[in-house]
């Protein structure tokens, strides 16, 4: 009776460790995806005149972020074209 209980306990511990390994692997994968997403968002935000940031994973489109160009007059400043600038 004692040896069968020991085997049952060892079996339960192995199953528990397997489940813990799966949870840890899933958590690490989620953290890696979050870090990739944060770096891609930082790249898109760093584009001064708007643009597109794309990330591919194994040849397939993974992330696509579009930063629209700033709208003139939104902050009260309207950028002038080089031909419109006057030199006094």
């Amino acid at each position: 009776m004692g040896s069968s209980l020991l085997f049952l306990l060892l079996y339960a511990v192995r199953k528990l460790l397997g489940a813990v390994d799966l949870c840890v692997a899933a958590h690490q994968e989620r953290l890696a995806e979050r870090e990739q997403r944060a770096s891609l968002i930082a790249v898109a935000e760093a584009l001064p005149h708007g643009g597109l940031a794309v990330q591919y994973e194994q040849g397939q489109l993974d992330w696509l972020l579009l930063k629209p160009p700033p709208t003139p007059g939104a902050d009260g400043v309207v950028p002038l074209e080089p031909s419109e600038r006057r030199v006094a």
Side-chain angles (χ1 to χ4, degrees):
M1 167 118 176
S3 64
S4 62
L5 186 60
L6 181 63
F7 283 127
L8 182 62
L9 183 62
L10 288 174
Y11 177 77
V13 168
R14 281 189 65 190
K15 289 294 184 180
L16 179 65
L17 288 177
V20 168
D21 282 344
L22 286 175
C23 289
V24 168
H27 181 66
Q28 287 176 340
E29 183 179 342
R30 188 178 66 215
L31 288 178
E33 287 177 1
R34 187 178 294 167
E35 185 177 317
Q36 281 182 342
R37 185 172 47 239
S39 63
L40 187 63
I41 289 171
V43 166
E45 288 178 350
L47 297 171
H49 302 292
L52 190 66
V54 181
Q55 179 178 347
Y56 288 94
E57 183 77 27
Q58 298 177 353
Q60 298 291 325
L61 182 63
D62 193 27
W63 285 96
L64 176 71
L65 291 174
L66 173 66
K67 179 183 176 187
T71 55
D75 55 355
V77 178
V78 178
L80 296 175
E81 295 296 322
S83 62
E84 297 175 353
R85 294 184 182 159
R86 297 185 184 139
V87 178

